[in-house]
Structures are given as C-alpha cells and as structure tokens.
Amino acid sequence: KAGVTQTPRYLIKTRGQQVTLSCSPISGHRSVSWYQQTPGQGLQFLFEYFSETQRNKGNFPGRFSGRQFSNSRSEMNVSTLELGDSALYLCASSPMRADEAFFGQGTRLTVV
Amino acid sequence: KNQVEQSPQSLIILEGKNCTLQCNYTVSPFSNLRWYKQDTGRGPVSLTIMTFSENTKSNGRYTATLDADTKQSSLHITASQLSDSASYICVVSFFGNEKLTFGTGTRLTIIP
C-alpha cells in the first residue's frame, strides 16, 4: 500500500512569488491535514480537509490556503511568499478525522 | 491554551543504553496521545498511540506510558541503536478538537 506522497520534495522560490504544494493521501483515506515545521516553532497545524471541506484551520495568515479534491488529493497554496515561510511542509492523511495520522516525507520550501 | 511540553530538549547516550523521554500536557480530557519518531528531513512516523484509558503501549524496543492523573507520558527506549538517532515528538489530540497539538520534540543522539 503506497504511503502519503508529497510533491515536489524540494522547492526554491523568491519573495513575493506564490507556490502550490501537492499531497496524495493513502488510498481510502479521506482526511488530509497540513503542517508547517520550522526549527524555531516545531510542527504547527495549518488546516485539515475532509470530504473536500476545510474542517479546521490553524493560526496562519490568509496567504496560506488549501483545497481537497473529490479523490481526496489536496493542494496547499502560499501567496506572496516571505522569507519566514521557509520550512518543511508536511501532509498527513487519516481514514477518518482524528484517526492516527500518517505523514508524507514533506516538501522543503526555501524562500530567497 | 492546550500545550504539550517535552523534556529534555536533547539527549546523547551510548549505543546499547536505555533512555526515557518525557511529555507533559495541559488540559484534559483528551482523545489520544501519540509518540512519533522523525528522522532529519523526513516526515514523522508513528511509534505508539494511546487513549486516555490506556496506561502503556509497546512497539518493539519502544514503550510508552501514560498517567492521565498527572498528565504525563514517557517514552522508554531499551537497548538503543544508532538508528534510534532522531527527534521524538509527543502529540496530543483533544476532545472536540481534531487539530493535533505537537510538543517541541526531544532530539536523541546515539553514539557508538
């Protein structure tokens, strides 16, 4: 059974640009959550999607958005990138909400 | 505010020795408490998951304990191996809040 797949693995962007990250959950999993991980702040929750609807949202500015498609795949978008957005972005999927979360390998975003 | 605190922040031990990592959380009740292992640059991998009614859960050389009265959990690693070098993250899921709350992690280094 394939795990959670995140693409791309690495990304370098310039300040002011926008970026879209992709997450393909484990087959059959309907809940997808996104997290930002930085050395200073650790893992922080961004948002959770279930059945194409955003169910929960963390304390991040509106520049961070996401969506989930009917096949449960999810995308995360960050507009007007700032240097502080440099981080490892992790996606996790679960069969249902609040079930055990399985993480992808992450996308390492560097903003220069 | 729901918080999860871990100690120590970092730990260095000799290969073959045992060690115990600590996790304290505020606010209860909660849904479950999880321990994850994260290798550098990779996504977290689940080690154990315990509900509030469970006191202990083992996964090979990893044993997690939970004391819901004192709101403390520990992760004990026996006969450490070089591959145990990683960050160990305690994660709590609170009732009515599917958003996972992460501890800042303990960085464990095993030296030969």
Side-chain angles (χ1 to χ4, degrees):
Chain A
K1 196 173 189 181
V4 178
T5 303
Q6 291 188 245
T7 56
R9 287 293 311 278
Y10 303 93
L11 204 51
I12 300 175
K13 289 286 188 178
T14 306
R15 273 183 302 174
Q17 287 186 310
Q18 73 155 15
V19 65
T20 299
L21 312 181
S22 179
C23 172
S24 294
I26 292 172
S27 178
H29 286 196
R30 298 169 60 188
S31 173
V32 174
S33 299
W34 287 89
Y35 302 86
Q36 182 195 66
Q37 186 175 34
T38 58
Q41 298 294 321
L43 270 155
Q44 293 186 286
F45 170 78
L46 280 159
F47 25 66
E48 178 208 359
Y49 286 88
F50 182 81
S51 294
E52 302 178 64
T53 302
Q54 187 180 92
R55 303 291 179 160
N56 279 299
K57 191 177 191 303
N59 297 322
F60 279 83
R63 300 184 298 105
F64 292 81
S65 63
R67 60 178 175 169
Q68 186 180 34
F69 301 96
S70 58
N71 62 358
S72 293
R73 190 178 70 85
S74 178
E75 287 182 347
M76 189 192 90
N77 184 276
V78 187
S79 62
T80 319
L81 284 166
E82 301 176 359
L83 295 179
D85 296 333
S86 295
L88 180 66
Y89 289 88
L90 291 161
C91 163
S93 76
S94 329
M96 298 293 287
R97 303 179 67 201
D99 283 339
E100 181 176 357
F102 295 85
F103 286 83
Q105 301 291 7
T107 293
R108 170 72 63 184
L109 172 65
T110 302
V111 182
V112 297
Chain B
K1 182 180 178 183
N2 298 336
Q3 286 189 316
V4 179
E5 296 182 348
Q6 292 186 244
S7 61
Q9 281 190 324
S10 61
L11 183 63
I12 301 173
I13 64 171
L14 289 172
E15 183 181 11
K17 297 295 186 182
N18 303 334
C19 67
T20 300
L21 314 180
Q22 300 290 343
C23 172
N24 297 333
Y25 59 93
T26 60
V27 185
S28 63
F30 69 97
S31 176
N32 57 63
L33 186 145
R34 317 165 188 200
W35 283 94
Y36 282 88
K37 176 187 177 187
Q38 185 177 24
D39 293 313
T40 302
R42 317 276 288 188
V45 175
S46 178
L47 293 175
T48 64
I49 178 170
M50 292 180 290
T51 65
F52 63 89
S53 62
E54 294 178 291
N55 299 120
T56 185
K57 184 68 71 76
S58 291
N59 178 1
R61 295 181 297 101
Y62 301 99
T63 299
T65 63
L66 175 63
D67 186 334
D69 292 331
T70 61
K71 300 184 180 63
Q72 294 180 325
S73 175
S74 64
L75 180 68
H76 186 72
I77 304 174
T78 58
S80 62
Q81 301 176 358
L82 297 178
S83 59
D84 292 332
S85 293
S87 289
Y88 291 83
I89 304 171
C90 174
V91 185
V92 181
S93 172
F94 296 94
F95 280 133
N97 177 7
E98 285 82 7
K99 293 183 286 185
L100 303 181
T101 302
F102 294 82
T104 52
T106 292
R107 179 66 202 178
L108 176 64
T109 303
I110 311 298
I111 57 176

